[in-house]
Amino acid sequence: MNDTTSNEADIRLKRLRFRAGHRGFREADIVFGQFAERHLHALTPAQIDDFERLLEVPDQEAYAWVIGQADAPPGFDTDLLALMR
């Protein structure tokens, strides 16, 4: 990985950490933010993509999936979601 690619990956992870902790719904901020702080650095590229897609889902819906209050649709029922649970 060259310096430019590494830099871009670092910037992407920083942006995801920020977005995860600033969703606008306090409980989701806590769950997603703490997950990002603890695990984002160790995720695979595919899991990072899944996390980024999950951050696009409305707060209440994504939070319900993570805490097991609602079933996630097949496209979101991934190993990342299992790890978050």
Side-chain angles (χ1 to χ4, degrees), residues 11-44:
I11 290 169
R12 181 182 184 201
L13 292 180
K14 286 179 186 178
R15 286 183 178 155
L16 287 174
R17 268 190 215 96
F18 180 83
R19 285 178 58 202
H22 296 86
R23 295 183 53 84
F25 172 51
R26 184 72 179 140
E27 289 85 350
D29 291 349
I30 293 167
V31 170
F32 283 80
Q34 287 182 1
F35 177 83
E37 287 299 320
R38 292 179 184 157
H39 301 283
L40 201 57
H41 68 280
L43 298 179
T44 67

Side-chain angles (χ1 to χ4, degrees), residues 44-57:
T44 67
Q47 289 172 322
I48 292 170
D49 290 343
D50 288 343
F51 188 67
E52 190 166 28
R53 279 188 328 110
L54 188 59
L55 293 178
E56 297 296 325
V57 174

